[in-house]
Amino acid sequence: MGKSQKKRSMRRHNPMRVPDSHLPKGLESAASSSPKNEVVLPIIQKLESPDAAERKWACVAVSNLIQNDPSTRRLLQGKNVVGALITRLSDSEEEVWIEAAGALRNLCIDGGYDICAEMYNKNILAPLKTFVPKISTALSQFLESPKTAPENAQQVVYEFTENVNTILWCLSETSNKALNAINQINLVPFLMSFLAARAKLPIATVIAAAQCLYVLTDDNQPAIDELRSNAAYSVCLLEIVRSEDTAKGKDKEVIGDRLTTLKVLTTGILSNVSPLPPTSGASGVDVGKEIVLPLLQPVVTSVSLIESSALAESLVAKLALEPPQLANLSLKGTPKSDHRSDTEVELERLENKLRTIQLALEILTGACATLPDPISEPQEGELDAEEDDEDNDAELEEDVTDNMTLDDVPLTNGATTTRHLPALVEPLITLTQPVRLSFPPAAGQSSHPPTTSVLSAIHVSALECLNNVFLSLSASPTAELSAASASGKQVWDGVWATLGSVGTEIARGQERKQEMWEIGVGVLWGVGNIWKGSLVPNEEQVQLLIQLCNSSSDPAVRVKCIGTLECLAQHPQSIDANRVIAMHLLSILPTTTASSTYGTEPLIQALSALIDIYSDENLPYDVNFRQGNFVQRLVDSVEGVRKTVRAIDRRKERDLKLRGEEVRDNLIAFIKYRKALRF
């Protein structure tokens, strides 16, 4: 399996809560679809009012206006609401900058990357940095002398802190530039102070700090080093994950859900910074085996997505009968930005519970297959190797097995974790299966965008987790596992059932469907590698894989499709399917007159697949190779393959260069071998 399976990219831990991708680009489409178009400009104007009460009212109004309304959010963004609210963070009146932070927080979590990037570019960090020491001072005072401030004053500070930490969390995953700037603030001690004082603070405030810390420690060495440098931090985190649920009273279930979220986040932090430092006294703790899997497996099986979707629909229907908050907007009776009806509170609680499931899946994905990154830096003496490329082939062949494919890469937590993986498979497949609210209607908006956003995120995360499960298992499959072909078929059919429910009709606003296909094919490849030769190819499935390979512009997706087709082609008795797959693979190769249009990695994968499929001339389907004169087609591709491999920049893509050179040499040897069989 190729390197495309382990490419990394910055991921958003909070998928856009209220997407606007179903809307055509531009403000005109937003204006035509927003029912609140006429109130946007007055609100923007009031943000600049000399009257503090009007400025506060306008900040609150923004929070209310954007609720589940991407059209109005886009209109406000077009009127520079982000810049106006950032200005209000430095307002002379405390109530104004508190409400401005709340509005910015809601824009962050609802609007996603674009709005967060705009906030960073408009220097939101300048005022945010000034709040951190102020919050620390207030927190210390409240903890040391709780009676020095009224309870309502403390609550205001806690809610403001939650908003600030949430904004910092969203900004930190916007770009590397934003993350580096946030690293300069040195937030780890600040955030850990909330976790250490969790027993005396509102659970929502502690969770916001934990969420920010979880994101900051995700593949971010400065934050990881800072957290690992203090033994007390590790002790605190372990105390949280090992604590018993002590929620009592009428809100026991609600508080229990929030405590579960805190434990899951803390598990993620521990996973990010493991192994724990020797100075913590917990260096012997196997985070994956002793914490991640035992704690998170029950979490991902704790909810039915079918029931959750049905509950959301019933609550939305109930909410439609309630008067909208916008109707209550007036300067005389300014609503709080966090004012919600009982129905809205119930919907938010359901959303939080589902987001905890998604978070647990995200952490499990990392635990299931922790693979080392490929070494892409050029080694000493290689900088000028391109000039002498062909002369160095023999020398480089010795290095071909260095980080070439995932099959050769040992898992860092291999045998310890792998024993637990099969138990995850069935619930993961269940979580991949779409339900009624999983996707918005074609070119339309979901009846409740936050629920749809988190449901589709769960499906995607479950597929990603499955991908790593089978990537891990296929790296070193046992004889017992390979022999369990019935299990392989059950998983294979389960993934195809999910993809069948997703469908191939993907409209604007339904990008998650495409994402599920692209990840799902990776799962199929992993399953196919384990049970290669025992999976009977289905004609419709083969055609769908070929169509996806042809239509995708992403080389990684094409590689996955080719890898999966390779596995199906090796079912000995399926001669017709083998021929169809082989013809597709041959169509990817260059000819004597034309280069390949599929890209370098797909070409290398297709060549590797053809060599693997026809490496045993005694298999029944080898008749296709002989009767189709495939050897001549391979001969015609040699010069084009050489040119393609020669064009790979060793400085930038060393592992791909090595793999390309290996496949090129294998191709030449394979052609010689097959020609020799004729005589």
Side-chain angles (χ1 to χ4, degrees):
M1 297 175 71
K3 81 163 191 175
S4 297
Q5 284 288 78
K6 57 180 176 181
K7 280 186 175 178
R8 302 192 60 171
S9 61
M10 177 167 283
R11 67 179 186 267
R12 284 196 63 83
H13 296 273
N14 61 324
M16 189 186 291
R17 191 169 171 271
V18 186
D20 65 352
S21 56
H22 65 284
L23 298 171
K25 292 182 178 180
L27 294 176
E28 188 176 335
S29 63
S32 63
S33 59
S34 172
K36 308 161 192 171
N37 191 8
E38 70 285 352
V39 301
V40 168
L41 188 56
I43 286 173
I44 294 294
Q45 291 169 341
K46 280 185 168 58
L47 282 170
E48 308 294 337
S49 171
D51 185 343
E54 289 195 347
R55 298 198 300 274
K56 176 187 175 184
W57 177 89
C59 292
V60 174
V62 170
S63 288
N64 283 278
L65 278 174
I66 67 170
Q67 189 172 17
N68 295 338
D69 188 346
S71 300
T72 304
R73 186 182 73 228
R74 188 187 288 183
L75 284 178
L76 284 163
Q77 193 176 0
K79 298 293 184 182
N80 192 31
V81 71
V82 170
L85 287 170
I86 291 173
T87 300
R88 295 281 66 83
L89 287 177
S90 304
D91 200 280
S92 57
E93 293 293 328
E94 180 181 284
E95 287 188 340
V96 175
W97 47 260
I98 286 173
E99 293 296 350
L104 286 163
R105 175 256 189 199
N106 291 341
L107 283 167
C108 273
I109 62 172
D110 280 7
Y113 173 82
D114 287 342
I115 284 183
C116 291
E118 183 183 352
M119 289 181 188
Y120 174 73
N121 291 334
K122 291 182 175 176
N123 203 23
I124 192 175
L125 285 180
L128 287 183
K129 283 190 287 189
T130 67
F131 293 138
V132 172
K134 292 177 182 177
I135 292 170
S136 293
T137 301
L139 179 66
S140 297
Q141 290 174 350
F142 294 162
L143 294 176
E144 291 170 9
S145 306
K147 296 181 180 179
T148 56
E151 188 174 332
N152 61 337
Q154 292 187 35
Q155 189 61 34
V156 167
V157 173
Y158 293 144
E159 289 175 1
F160 175 69
T161 302
E162 181 185 345
N163 290 334
V164 169
N165 284 340
T166 301
I167 295 169
L168 288 168
W169 144 40
C170 294
L171 288 174
S172 66
E173 54 187 7
T174 298
S175 67
N176 286 327
K177 187 183 291 186
L179 179 61
N180 290 336
I182 289 171
N183 281 338
Q184 301 304 311
I185 306 175
N186 193 26
L187 285 175
V188 170
F190 171 73
L191 297 170
M192 280 301 306
S193 67
F194 292 94
L195 274 63
R198 62 193 177 279
K200 300 177 181 178
L201 298 173
I203 185 67
T205 306
V206 180
I207 285 174
Q211 177 74 71
C212 190
L213 192 59
Y214 167 59
V215 173
L216 278 178
T217 54
D218 178 23
D219 199 24
N220 177 30
Q221 205 57 46
I224 293 171
D225 291 343
E226 176 73 18
L227 198 145
R228 296 180 86 248
S229 68
N230 190 322
Y233 293 164
S234 298
V235 172
C236 174
L237 295 171
L238 287 169
E239 286 176 352
I240 293 173
V241 297
R242 290 169 172 170
S243 63
E244 296 294 326
D245 186 349
T246 56
K248 297 178 181 178
K250 63 178 182 179
D251 294 328
K252 178 180 179 180
E253 191 173 350
V254 175
I255 296 172
D257 287 347
R258 303 304 278 154
L259 288 173
T260 298
T261 301
L262 178 60
K263 281 188 176 184
V264 171
L265 283 166
T266 307
T267 300
I269 297 166
L270 285 167
S271 182
N272 287 343
V273 303
S274 66
L276 300 178
T279 54
S280 68
S283 58
V285 175
D286 185 327
V287 173
K289 179 182 178 182
E290 299 177 40
I291 297 174
V292 174
L293 291 163
L295 192 86
L296 300 188
Q297 284 191 73
V299 173
V300 299
T301 58
S302 65
V303 70
S304 162
L305 297 190
I306 294 175
E307 292 175 4
S308 297
S309 179
L311 175 58
E313 287 186 291
S314 67
L315 290 170
V316 168
K318 184 178 177 182
L319 188 62
L321 303 176
E322 298 176 2
Q325 283 300 311
L326 188 62
N328 300 327
L329 277 176
S330 70
L331 283 172
K332 292 182 179 179
T334 306
K336 290 185 177 180
S337 55
D338 64 345
H339 177 74
R340 291 158 298 172
S341 67
D342 290 344
T343 306
E344 289 172 316
V345 169
E346 190 66 20
L347 270 169
E348 184 181 55
R349 184 185 161 209
L350 174 62
E351 180 191 352
N352 288 337
K353 193 167 187 175
L354 291 172
R355 290 212 179 274
T356 301
I357 304 295
Q358 192 260 330
L359 177 66
L361 289 169
E362 187 178 278
I363 298 164
L364 281 169
T365 297
C368 287
T370 306
L371 296 164
D373 289 328
I375 301 170
S376 54
E377 297 82 5
Q379 302 299 301
E380 184 179 354
E382 284 186 353
L383 289 178
D384 299 316
E386 295 302 316
E387 299 173 7
D388 241 349
D389 196 28
E390 298 302 322
D391 294 338
N392 289 334
D393 285 348
E395 180 183 339
L396 285 167
E397 283 302 318
E398 298 174 7
D399 298 327
V400 161
T401 54
D402 294 350
N403 57 71
M404 183 185 69
T405 66
L406 292 179
D407 300 299
D408 303 318
V409 179
L411 296 167
T412 58
N413 55 352
T416 305
T417 305
T418 305
R419 287 201 301 270
H420 295 265
L421 295 181
L424 276 172
V425 171
E426 189 174 346
L428 286 175
I429 290 176
T430 300
L431 290 173
T432 67
Q433 295 163 356
V435 292
R436 279 174 57 91
L437 278 183
S438 291
F439 309 108
Q445 183 172 316
S446 164
S447 59
H448 192 248
T451 299
T452 293
S453 170
V454 70
L455 284 171
S456 59
I458 286 173
H459 301 323
V460 168
S461 294
L463 281 170
E464 287 177 333
C465 195
L466 276 172
N467 183 63
N468 277 7
V469 166
F470 287 103
L471 202 56
S472 173
L473 289 173
S474 65
S476 52
T478 63
E480 293 81 5
L481 184 65
S482 299
S485 56
S487 297
K489 186 178 187 309
Q490 185 178 359
V491 175
W492 179 269
D493 291 344
V495 176
W496 273 110
T498 290
L499 296 177
S501 297
V502 171
T504 56
E505 297 294 324
I506 302 174
R508 189 175 65 241
Q510 297 179 328
E511 293 78 13
R512 284 293 199 179
K513 286 187 173 184
Q514 185 68 29
E515 199 173 347
M516 288 185 68
W517 268 100
E518 292 172 355
I519 300 168
V521 173
V523 180
L524 293 173
W525 188 11
V527 174
N529 263 297
I530 297 170
W531 289 285
K532 189 181 292 184
S534 65
L535 292 170
V536 181
N538 171 287
E539 183 179 353
E540 182 183 3
Q541 292 172 0
V542 168
Q543 288 302 323
L544 283 169
L545 289 167
I546 291 174
Q547 288 170 23
L548 180 58
C549 184
N550 288 335
S551 63
S552 179
S553 58
D554 185 349
V557 175
R558 285 180 161 177
V559 166
K560 293 176 188 177
C561 292
I562 293 166
T564 308
L565 287 166
E566 173 192 343
C567 298
L568 288 174
Q570 294 187 58
H571 184 256
Q573 286 74 40
S574 298
I575 297 173
D576 289 341
N578 174 277
R579 184 186 309 110
V580 171
I581 294 169
M583 295 308 293
H584 171 66
L585 297 179
L586 289 168
S587 73
I588 295 172
L589 307 187
T591 65
T592 54
T593 58
S595 58
S596 174
T597 59
Y598 275 74
T600 301
E601 287 186 75
L603 168 59
I604 291 172
Q605 189 66 40
L607 282 168
S608 176
L610 285 163
I611 295 168
D612 196 27
I613 293 167
Y614 296 110
S615 60
D616 185 349
E617 68 277 7
N618 296 313
L619 289 169
Y621 59 66
D622 194 72
V623 64
N624 294 326
F625 189 93
R626 299 189 299 273
Q627 292 182 355
N629 195 20
F630 289 176
V631 71
Q632 185 57 49
R633 182 67 187 86
L634 293 175
V635 168
D636 293 343
S637 74
V638 170
E639 189 55 37
V641 170
R642 281 178 171 149
K643 289 179 180 178
T644 299
V645 173
R646 197 178 299 128
I648 303 171
D649 190 336
R650 195 188 315 275
R651 299 171 182 84
K652 297 178 181 178
E653 297 183 290
R654 180 175 179 267
D655 56 324
L656 180 62
K657 183 78 169 182
L658 292 176
R659 184 163 188 251
E661 289 170 339
E662 184 206 32
V663 171
R664 176 201 63 205
D665 293 345
N666 287 347
L667 171 64
I668 294 169
F670 179 70
I671 290 171
K672 290 179 180 178
Y673 172 72
R674 293 300 308 221
K675 281 185 173 180
L677 290 176
R678 294 177 177 179
F679 305 104

